[in-house]
Amino acid sequence: LKIIIKLKITTKIININYNEKKYQIKIVTVATEEKLYTKWLKESCIRNKSKLIVLGLGTKWENYLTKFKLVIEYLNTLDEKDIFCFIDAYDVMMNGNLDNLRKKFIKFKKTNNEKIICANNPKITINGNTNYIVDTIQFFLTKLDFESDGKTTINSGTYIGYVKDVR
């Protein structure tokens, strides 16, 4: 009886691991030109054996919505069960591998009921003045769509979720 139970548990674990790796994780950024840390971001992805998808290279940056348009167009080409991770092109480097990111994301999703995980911008005080490190659009979206503790706002420069949830 004990052997049968162990075999069932082992089979279940193998199936979970297989399903977790069935869909791809996409690391995506928008960069209309190569500047600042873009070169090091690309090199850090290569070093960590991760493919970086760069959207918009060589196109004209019109406004902040350019980023969202490019991302939405790309999201519409992906399987809804893939994992989509967006990172800034100009001030981010990858320091881990995708398997670890996938495992941490799936574990977080299993223990929390959140659809998208976003980076945050802290509320800071400089010389007695309290400011958000955030632009008007992000501040508005945070107040409109997200619970806020009054200490942070969302950061659209780093977020991760299943394609169906980000789309």
Side-chain angles (χ1 to χ4, degrees), residues 59-108:
T59 62
K60 182 182 176 193
W61 179 266
E62 294 182 26
N63 56 42
Y64 198 71
L65 294 176
T66 301
K67 176 168 107 172
F68 294 117
K69 288 176 186 176
L70 290 167
V71 167
I72 290 167
E73 285 174 12
Y74 180 70
L75 280 168
N76 288 331
T77 69
L78 300 177
D79 187 298
E80 69 175 14
K81 294 178 184 172
D82 285 342
I83 299 169
F84 179 85
C85 179
F86 184 88
I87 55 177
D88 273 339
Y90 302 129
D91 60 359
V92 173
M93 289 189 289
M94 180 174 276
N95 62 3
N97 67 51
L98 292 184
D99 284 335
N100 287 339
L101 178 60
R102 179 186 290 110
K103 288 175 187 173
K104 288 178 181 181
F105 172 73
I106 290 170
K107 182 179 179 181
F108 185 88

